[in-house]
Amino acid sequence: ALRNHVKKKHYSAGISRVEIERAASKVKVNIYTARPGIVIGKKGAGIEQLKKELQKLTENEVFINIQEIRKAEIDAQLVAENIATQLERRIAFRRAMKKAVTISMKFGAKGIRVACSGRLGGAEMSRYEWYRDGRVPLHTLRADVEYGFALSKTKQGTIGVKCWIFKGEVLDGGGKEPPQRQRVPRPPRGREAGAN
C-alpha cells in the first residue's frame, strides 16, 4: 500500500523503485527518483505532505529518504515508463522503442532489449514486437541485468512494455576475471586400474 501510494502520487517524478525497511516500530521508505525536486517540493513541503499521507497507512513511525538516480536513461523501469507514456501520447511505437534503445546505448548500457505487446498502432489484432541492441545475457548468473515493466493505457486497449538493460558482469575479487577451475586427473578405471 505504501509503495503504490508513492508511485501513484508522484508518477511524473520518474520513481524507479521504492524500498521499505522495517525495524521495530519504524518504517524507512527509500525512494529512488530521477527528479528529486518534484518529490521534495518547495522547502521540503512535498516530503512533509507525503510523510503525513504515509503515516495514515501505517501505525509505525515513517521516515522518508530520497535517492537521486543519476542516469535515468539506463534505468530499466524508467525506460519502460517513458515508452509507455509516449504510446499514450500516440507516438509511433517503433519510433519510441528504437529511440529508447539508441539513447540507452549512448549512455553506456552494454545491451538493451525492449518489447511491446498489445494492440500496437491501434491494430485490430494484438501482437508482440521487440528490439535489441548489444547483448542481454539472461542466463548468465553474474550478469547485472535490470528489468522494468510498465502499462500504457491507450484508447484501443492496454499495451505492456518490458525492458531489460545489461550493465556489465559482476565479478568476484574486485572486478577480476573469475578464477579458472583446476583440472583434476581422474582415477584409472578398468584395465588401467588392473595394470597398477
Side-chain angles (χ1 to χ4, degrees):
L2 296 174
R3 190 172 283 116
N4 291 344
H5 182 83
V6 172
K7 192 81 180 161
K8 198 180 271 186
K9 186 171 172 34
H10 293 293
Y11 190 81
S12 61
I15 291 174
S16 169
R17 63 189 192 275
V18 179
E19 289 176 355
I20 298 166
E21 295 174 18
R22 295 178 181 274
S25 60
K26 292 176 184 174
V27 175
K28 190 179 176 188
V29 182
N30 296 322
I31 301 171
Y32 293 82
T33 171
R35 302 192 195 109
I38 295 174
V39 182
I40 295 165
K42 282 185 182 174
K43 295 178 184 173
I47 286 188
E48 292 304 317
Q49 179 65 28
L50 186 61
K51 196 173 181 180
K52 283 177 192 169
E53 289 168 9
L54 294 180
Q55 196 68 63
K56 289 175 188 171
L57 298 172
T58 177
E59 289 145 33
N60 302 342
E61 194 181 353
V62 176
F63 294 95
I64 295 175
N65 184 23
I66 290 173
Q67 305 275 344
E68 187 186 357
I69 295 170
R70 294 269 177 220
K71 288 184 180 176
E73 292 81 7
I74 54 169
D75 188 286
Q77 182 63 34
L78 296 182
V79 170
E81 284 177 16
N82 180 28
I83 294 170
T85 49
Q86 285 186 57
L87 294 178
E88 283 174 5
R89 295 204 313 266
R90 299 184 62 168
I91 288 169
F93 70 94
R94 278 196 189 94
R95 190 176 167 197
M97 288 163 79
K98 282 178 181 173
K99 194 177 177 188
V101 167
T102 51
I103 287 173
S104 289
M105 291 303 285
K106 197 189 280 183
F107 273 83
K110 295 274 173 67
I112 176 172
R113 177 181 164 174
V114 290
C116 288
S117 66
R119 293 186 60 185
L120 301 173
E124 201 67 26
M125 198 176 217
S126 69
R127 66 182 192 276
Y128 180 91
E129 288 222 3
W130 59 277
Y131 288 97
R132 192 188 69 206
D133 198 356
R135 52 188 278 264
V136 186
L138 298 181
H139 282 236
T140 308
L141 292 176
R142 64 170 180 264
D144 178 19
V145 178
E146 207 174 85
Y147 172 75
F149 173 77
L151 280 176
S152 174
K153 295 185 172 73
T154 63
K155 277 187 179 179
Q156 285 76 23
T158 309
I159 293 174
V161 182
K162 291 178 179 179
C163 178
W164 296 260
I165 293 181
F166 174 51
K167 296 183 176 179
E169 294 186 356
V170 181
L171 303 171
D172 299 331
K176 295 188 202 108
E177 281 295 319
Q180 297 295 318
R181 285 195 301 182
Q182 295 288 314
R183 285 200 67 176
V184 181
R186 64 179 179 83
R189 288 197 313 232
R191 283 188 190 164
E192 299 166 31
N196 293 337

